């Protein structure tokens, strides 16, 4: 039996880029979908919060000097596009999925309603949350912490390019070592950039652990779900 029964997976938009400068790399999204589908078939309830940085990069130059709230709403629309692509790829791969948005775009995507999201999860569908929290000035990290707490997830899995939290940047310092586990308080004292401060505080206050792992390591998501030593666990 999997060690985890309900998870909130936080995917950055950049995770979908592959080797592209921006946008969505089809092979990359299909590989991620295959890993999510494998975990779902184990009986694990999977919810996903996705970022939009990969698409927003394409308009980032034009956003310079723009009102912050306006730029953030543009970023939310980017997450909706990513969520639709992810939901479509899941469905094409044979995994039932529902996309729910924190901002109302009724003709395009279903609005986020907590009881409905819980119903979908209990039916075994993968639920993809789009548009962050629906508010400017909040990151998709914060949306992951919020949605994770709302749906009663056992853990937030932050999928990154790095296979955990290190004592220093492993790209700059070859002697850096990976933490197997670390407390929220210690991570804050050491100023380790696990998540943004708001998301980090929310997870700590809600006793919602975070595991940081690499989505680019084949089978890593399954190993995390099965309780194996993968990535770094951040806990109370």
């Amino acid at each position: 039996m999997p060690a985890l029964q309900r998870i909130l997976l936080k995917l950055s938009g950049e995770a979908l880029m592959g080797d592209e400068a921006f946008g969505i790399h089809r092979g990359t999204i299909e590989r991620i979908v295959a890993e999510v589908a494998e975990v779902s078939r184990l009986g694990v309830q999977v919810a996903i919060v996705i970022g939009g940085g990969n698409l927003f990069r394409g308009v980032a130059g034009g956003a310079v000097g723009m009102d912050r709230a306006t730029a953030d709403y543009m970023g939310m629309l980017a997450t909706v596009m990513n969520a639709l692509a992810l939901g479509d790829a899941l469905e094409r791969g044979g995994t039932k999925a529902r996309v729910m948005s924190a901002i109302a775009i009724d003709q395009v995507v279903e609005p986020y309603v907590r009881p409905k999201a819980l119903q979908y999860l209990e039916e075994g569908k993968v639920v993809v949350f789009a548009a962050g929290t629906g508010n400017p000035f909040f990151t998709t990290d914060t949306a992951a912490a919020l949605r994770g707490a709302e749906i009663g997830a056992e853990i937030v899995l932050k999928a990154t390019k790095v296979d955990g939290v290190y004592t220093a940047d492993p790209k700059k310092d070859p002697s850096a070592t990976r933490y197997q586990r670390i407390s929220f308080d210690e991570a804050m004292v050491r100023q380790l950039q696990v998540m943004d401060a708001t998301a980090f505080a929310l997870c700590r206050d809600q006793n919602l652990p975070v595991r940081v792992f690499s989505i680019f390591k084949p089978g890593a998501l399954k190993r995390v779900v099965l309780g194996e030593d993968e990535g770094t666990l951040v806990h109370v």
Side-chain angles (χ1 to χ4, degrees), residues 153-177:
E154 296 165 73
I155 195 168
V156 171
L157 303 180
K158 183 169 182 180
T160 69
K161 294 181 178 180
V162 183
D163 63 340
V165 179
Y166 280 75
T167 53
D169 187 341
K171 293 181 180 179
K172 299 177 181 178
D173 184 356
S175 66
T177 57

Side-chain angles (χ1 to χ4, degrees), residues 4 15 45 49 55 67 84 104 156 167 172 206 215 229:
L4 299 167
Q45 296 177 10
V49 166
L55 298 180
D67 176 77
L84 289 170
V156 171
T167 53
K172 299 177 181 178
Q206 295 300 313
I215 193 64
D229 178 22

